[in-house]
Amino acid sequence: MRLMSDMDLCARLTAGDLDALADAYDEHGSYVYGVAVKVTGSQAFAEEITQGVFVALWEQPLSYDPSLGSLRGWLVSRALHESALRSKVG
């Protein structure tokens, strides 16, 4: 399977292509989850954070701008932010 560019993936997400979300998760989900586990120390919190990051991507695909960096970087940044908030609360 050819990995598509972040711009192509973003265009598909913006068009409402649910398979694009699955492709993004398949390509980046383990990184997002790994960051969340390391920061929170909790698999359960990491699962919630990972789900939230990808739900946010689906609901607001235009919040990611491919000209500002990679999709993986954007997703991991969101995971770090959410993980840090969760660590302060939990």
Side-chain angles (χ1 to χ4, degrees):
M1 176 175 127
R2 172 179 102 56
L3 296 178
M4 68 181 48
S5 75
D6 289 345
M7 291 182 75
D8 290 339
L9 193 56
C10 185
R12 289 176 55 208
L13 286 164
T14 301
D17 181 351
L18 191 55
D19 289 334
L21 182 63
D23 291 344
Y25 183 83
D26 288 346
E27 191 168 340
H28 305 296
S30 63
Y31 292 93
V32 172
Y33 176 78
V35 165
V37 167
K38 284 188 180 200
V39 174
T40 65
S42 167
Q43 291 179 346
F45 286 161
E47 289 170 3
E48 290 176 22
I49 289 164
T50 301
Q51 179 180 351
V53 166
F54 282 95
V55 166
L57 177 63
W58 176 250
E59 290 178 344
Q60 299 175 344
L62 294 175
S63 63
Y64 164 65
D65 182 350
S67 70
L68 298 177
S70 70
L71 179 58
R72 179 174 290 170
W74 184 85
L75 292 166
V76 168
S77 175
R78 286 191 69 116
L80 281 168
H81 177 76
E82 293 300 319
S83 296
L85 290 175
R86 180 64 66 128
S87 292
K88 289 180 182 178
V89 172

